[in-house]
């Protein structure tokens, strides 16, 4: 099954052995890791080599983009990963090996996938030393001819082929696992691999990131919570955008020196996330610390006593790297909000009812057993003190129970759960006593109340009413077409034809009553929504419908 990827698997084995990554894990305390450690030691590249400092970081760099992304995800989970490994993974956020500036300039000047102009024409100054280097691209600072300071993001050369190869390998592994493990099928693991493959390939196209950045900037214009830099120019492999003053969210010592309230920053971060998910339905889905910055004063304003420096407003978050963005359908938004609220309220019967109505539970499932498992496993976790609750851990427990009960987890929700893991890790690093429950509950409650507001729903229905009326007029035509099609099939369908003709006659009689009900409902909408000048017209239109249908 994996023979077609033999070369890539051997390469990954060699890299793991070269950096002796087995020496970075407490193998003696983790039985599942022992066979892997023995396999690594068997490779000739490991012979004679001892522990390599930063071996995990260098190994993931050499393995490629997909493994760098995994390291970035784990870098936010101090509760899951030992400190010696976390210290290495944090470096993957913006301290990946850079590529030569000559290659970056060639990418920028490329007429097909770059900006197609010389560096001197594009910039008054271009700094050859990269400001930062990450898994997909590296960033150089520059200045435009009008004096504006910018950053220039350039995609790493020749990484597309490696990403495609690694995802082919992942897909084969997913197919193999899905064929043998029910839990993998319930998670739609093959679909997840395919979805994430497309997400990562999209990340290589900086015109898509530029569009996402502009959209998120518009969502937070004049916001006191977050600032999104302006994009000035973009091509497939290059993006030029406004340079900002800030530091990564992980540099908590800087916030202490500046006198920032870390608790307020952590709460602001969660508010931004829930705002993106529920207000905008457009959320940043790659929120590792290398992508999340906080405003700081310009360098020239800093003094020895940084606590005296005033931004002029409360520090805001800065939205960067909008390559991976998530959205949910309206139905899934409401399901997620109600499900999270039910968990926060320790109401597992309501949660089971919500996922059942969503169609996530098979008909054969024992709902009472599912509710008991949720209450028994997740309930005690929610009764812990605030600084002991692992929100992401609660979600993982829920998913584990869901797998045991053969629930079908929609793939589009997995990106949201991954993002929640990131968000909680960031918030807890910033402020360990972060109370995610008390912050999230009013936000979710308010959003659900707004979605279920009857006046708001009636107003939406009013906007859709012309389409509903037009669709209703097509019913007789569609029914006649169906009758003609049946009639052409010959006498064998005579009995079915007579039944459908009788049904048509019954429907025509019922339609008069339906039109009366529809007209009355329309009048109710007009009255309920108080649509001003539109109401009298609506009344006249509804009455004309009633008269016409009675006489027809």
């Amino acid at each position: 099954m994996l023979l077609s990827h033999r070369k890539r698997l051997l390469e990954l084995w060699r890299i793991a052995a070269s950096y002796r990554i087995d020496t970075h894990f407490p193998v003696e305390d983790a039985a599942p890791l022992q066979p892997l450690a023995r396999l690594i030691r068997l490779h000739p590249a490991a012979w004679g080599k001892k522990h390599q400092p930063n071996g995990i970081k260098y190994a993931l760099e050499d393995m490629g983009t997909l493994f760098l992304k995994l390291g970035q995800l784990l870098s936010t989970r101090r509760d899951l990963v030992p400190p010696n490994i976390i210290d290495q993974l944090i470096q993957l956020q913006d301290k990946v090996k850079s590529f030569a500036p000559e290659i970056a300039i060639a990418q920028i000047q490329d007429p097909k996938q770059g900006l197609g102009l010389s560096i001197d024409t594009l910039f008054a100054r271009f700094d050859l030393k990269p400001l930062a280097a990450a898994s997909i691209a590296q960033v150089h600072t520059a200045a435009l001819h009008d004096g504006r300071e910018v950053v220039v993001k350039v995609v790493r050369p020749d990484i597309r082929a490696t990403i495609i190869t690694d995802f082919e390998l992942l897909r084969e592994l997913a197919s193999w696992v899905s064929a043998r493990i029910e839990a993998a099928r319930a998670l739609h693991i093959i679909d997840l691999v395919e979805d994430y493959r497309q997400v990562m390939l999209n990340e290589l196209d900086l015109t898509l990131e530029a569009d996402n950045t502009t959209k998120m900037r518009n969502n937070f214009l004049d916001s006191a919570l977050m600032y999104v830099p302006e994009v000035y120019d973009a091509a497939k492999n290059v993006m030029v955008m406004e340079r900002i003053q800030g530091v990564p969210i992980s540099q908590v010592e800087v916030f202490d020196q500046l006198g920032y309230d870390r608790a307020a920053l952590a709460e602001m971060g969660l508010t931004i996330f829930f705002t993106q998910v529920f207000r905008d339905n457009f959320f940043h889905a790659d929120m590792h610390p290398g992508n999340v910055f906080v405003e700081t004063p310009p360098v020239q304003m800093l003094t020895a006593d940084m606590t005296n420096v005033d931004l002029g407003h409360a520090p805001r978050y800065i939205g960067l790297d909008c390559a991976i963005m998530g959205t949910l359908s309206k139905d899934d938004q409401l399901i997620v909000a109600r499900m999270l609220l039910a968990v926060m309220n320790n109401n597992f019967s309501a949660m089971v009812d919500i996922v059942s109505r969503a169609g996530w539970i098979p008909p054969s499932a024992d709902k009472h057993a599912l509710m008991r498992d949720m209450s028994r496993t997740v309930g005690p976790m929610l009764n812990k003190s605030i600084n002991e609750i692992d929100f992401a851990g609660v979600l993982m427990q829920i998913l584990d129970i869901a797998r045991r009960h053969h629930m079908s987890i929609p793939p589009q929700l997995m990106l949201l759960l991954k993002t929640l893991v990131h968000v909680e890790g960031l918030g807890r690093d910033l402020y360990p006593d972060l109370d995610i429950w008390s912050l999230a509950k009013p936000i979710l409650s308010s959003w659900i109340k707004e979605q279920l507001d009857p006046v708001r729903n009636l107003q939406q229905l009013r906007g859709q009413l012309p389409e509903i009326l037009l669709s209703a007029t097509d019913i007789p035509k569609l029914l006649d077409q169906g009758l003609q099609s049946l009639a052409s099939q010959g006498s064998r369908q005579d009995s079915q034809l007579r039944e459908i003709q009788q049904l048509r006659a019954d429907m025509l009689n019922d339609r008069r009553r339906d039109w009366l009900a529809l007209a009355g409902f329309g009048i109710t909408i007009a009255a309920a929504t108080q649509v001003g000048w539109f109401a009298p017209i609506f009344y006249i239109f509804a009455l004309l419908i009633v008269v016409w249908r009675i006489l027809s």
Side-chain angles (χ1 to χ4, degrees):
M1 183 272 297
L2 295 174
L3 290 179
S4 60
H5 297 288
R6 175 174 69 252
K7 183 178 178 181
R8 179 59 171 155
L9 287 169
L10 289 174
E11 181 185 15
L12 295 175
W13 182 23
R14 178 192 60 77
I15 293 171
S18 297
Y19 292 104
R20 289 300 306 272
I21 66 172
D22 57 302
T23 64
H24 292 263
F25 295 95
V27 176
E28 63 281 357
D29 299 330
L33 292 177
Q34 291 174 6
L36 180 61
R38 285 195 293 270
L39 182 64
I40 289 172
R41 289 194 291 266
L42 283 174
H43 197 285
W47 297 350
K49 289 186 179 178
K50 297 183 180 180
H51 179 83
Q52 305 288 308
N54 278 334
I56 298 288
K57 171 186 179 288
Y58 295 136
L60 292 177
E61 282 182 336
D62 285 359
M63 287 178 179
T65 303
L66 199 60
F67 298 90
L68 282 172
K69 287 289 185 184
L70 175 63
Q72 289 172 348
L73 174 62
L74 292 175
S75 70
T76 64
R77 298 317 312 252
R78 293 184 180 273
D79 53 332
L80 301 178
V81 181
N84 65 306
I85 297 177
I86 281 285
D87 291 341
Q88 299 180 57
L89 298 182
I90 286 174
Q91 299 177 58
L92 296 175
Q93 293 162 8
D94 58 1
K95 293 184 176 66
V96 180
K97 257 187 280 187
S98 62
F99 54 89
E102 294 79 13
I103 296 175
I105 291 173
Q107 295 266 75
I108 294 167
Q109 297 180 153
D110 180 51
K112 291 184 178 179
Q113 298 188 331
L115 298 178
L117 297 171
S118 71
I119 285 291
D120 292 338
T121 301
L122 292 166
F123 307 108
R125 186 193 80 250
F126 182 82
D127 300 323
L128 296 179
K129 183 179 179 181
L131 176 68
S135 56
I136 295 291
Q138 72 183 29
V139 173
H140 291 260
T141 51
L144 300 180
H145 288 287
D146 61 7
R148 286 177 295 177
E149 289 290 322
V150 297
V151 292
V152 185
K153 186 172 183 177
V154 187
V155 172
R156 288 182 171 275
D158 305 323
I159 64 172
R160 178 179 289 271
T162 303
I163 290 175
I164 290 173
T165 300
D166 284 348
F167 270 105
E168 287 174 352
L169 172 59
L170 273 182
R171 197 188 190 289
E172 285 200 20
L173 287 169
S175 299
W176 186 86
V177 170
S178 293
R180 291 160 177 79
I181 302 175
E182 174 65 30
R185 290 193 292 276
L187 276 173
H188 302 281
I189 191 169
I190 296 176
D191 292 339
L192 287 174
V193 170
E194 286 299 318
D195 288 346
Y196 199 56
R197 173 183 179 274
Q198 191 56 53
V199 164
M200 285 203 65
L201 290 177
N202 287 346
E203 199 172 354
L204 300 180
D205 186 346
L206 295 186
T207 61
L208 298 177
E209 180 178 341
D211 290 343
N212 290 338
T213 303
T214 300
K215 182 175 180 179
M216 193 165 75
R217 175 179 170 83
N218 291 335
N219 288 342
F220 284 89
L221 278 179
D222 302 319
S223 170
L225 298 174
M226 185 167 73
Y227 181 79
V228 181
E230 183 178 357
V231 176
Y232 297 136
D233 202 354
K236 191 175 181 67
N237 284 342
V238 184
M239 183 172 68
V240 181
M241 65 189 303
E242 175 186 3
R243 187 176 182 181
I244 49 84
Q245 296 289 337
V247 296
I249 191 76
S250 56
Q251 294 188 13
V252 294
E253 67 282 355
V254 175
F255 304 143
D256 291 339
Q257 291 174 337
L258 289 168
Y260 288 178
D261 185 339
R262 283 205 269 155
L265 279 177
E267 291 182 359
M268 187 188 299
L270 281 172
T271 301
I272 290 170
F273 172 72
F274 285 115
T275 300
Q276 289 180 348
V277 172
F278 294 109
R279 185 196 71 181
D280 303 331
N281 193 16
F282 189 69
F283 60 91
H284 199 305
D286 193 21
M287 297 181 70
H288 64 77
N291 290 341
V292 183
F293 278 53
V294 174
E295 277 184 321
T296 56
V299 174
Q300 59 269 26
M301 288 179 58
L302 296 180
T303 63
D305 181 11
M306 289 198 291
T307 57
N308 292 327
V309 177
D310 186 8
L311 269 175
H313 55 77
R316 297 171 295 183
Y317 279 76
I318 299 171
L320 297 173
D321 199 351
C322 301
I324 303 178
M325 306 298 290
T327 61
L328 298 172
S329 71
K330 285 295 182 184
D331 287 342
D332 285 339
Q333 268 187 305
L334 192 57
I335 290 166
V336 168
R338 294 177 63 200
M339 186 172 67
L340 289 174
L341 202 56
V343 172
M344 291 175 187
N345 290 328
N346 229 331
N347 190 347
F348 296 104
S349 61
M351 201 208 77
V352 170
D353 183 61
I354 290 164
V355 297
S356 176
R357 290 174 183 273
W360 298 359
I361 303 177
S364 58
D366 186 340
K367 295 179 184 178
H368 294 291
L370 174 59
M371 185 178 68
R372 284 196 304 271
D373 281 355
M374 288 285 186
S375 181
R376 185 184 307 119
T377 306
V378 182
M381 299 174 71
L382 302 179
N383 292 325
K384 294 180 179 179
S385 61
I386 292 302
N387 60 351
E388 294 178 328
I389 294 176
D390 176 11
F391 184 65
V394 172
L395 289 175
M396 294 305 109
Q397 285 286 344
I398 291 173
L399 283 178
D400 186 53
I401 294 169
R403 286 192 290 270
R404 293 205 303 269
H405 287 268
H406 309 293
M407 286 176 59
S408 180
I409 309 297
Q412 66 270 25
L413 297 184
M414 297 307 296
L415 189 62
L416 177 64
L417 295 179
K418 164 189 170 287
T419 307
L420 277 171
V421 172
H422 269 319
V423 169
E424 196 220 12
L426 293 174
R428 289 294 170 82
D429 278 351
L430 192 59
Y431 183 65
D433 293 331
L434 176 65
D435 187 349
I436 189 171
W437 306 112
S438 62
L439 179 68
K441 280 177 71 171
I443 295 174
L444 293 174
S445 299
S446 175
W447 184 83
I448 291 172
K449 182 180 178 181
E450 180 185 346
Q451 298 305 304
L452 300 180
D453 179 60
V455 173
R456 178 179 181 272
N457 290 331
L458 284 172
Q459 289 173 336
Q460 288 182 343
L461 182 59
R462 187 196 73 193
Q464 298 169 0
L465 195 58
E467 182 181 346
I468 295 171
L469 291 172
L470 289 172
S471 300
T473 62
D474 289 336
I475 293 174
K477 179 181 176 182
L478 294 172
L479 192 55
D480 285 336
Q481 289 174 347
L483 287 169
Q484 292 171 13
S485 176
L486 283 173
S488 67
Q489 294 179 23
S491 58
R492 286 182 300 174
Q493 280 84 26
D494 282 348
S495 61
Q496 292 97 324
L497 182 57
R498 285 192 294 272
E499 291 177 9
I500 293 178
Q501 286 173 331
Q502 182 61 46
L503 174 62
R504 181 177 185 274
D506 292 341
M507 286 183 65
L508 289 173
N509 289 331
D510 290 341
R511 278 176 59 205
R512 290 184 173 86
R513 291 191 295 271
D514 292 341
W515 281 103
L516 285 167
L518 182 60
F521 185 57
I523 293 170
T524 303
I525 292 175
T529 56
Q530 297 179 352
V531 291
W533 62 268
F534 187 80
I537 296 175
F538 205 104
Y539 292 140
I540 295 169
F541 181 67
L543 290 172
L544 286 173
I545 290 173
V546 172
V547 173
W548 175 58
R549 294 315 305 171
I550 290 174
L551 295 177
S552 63

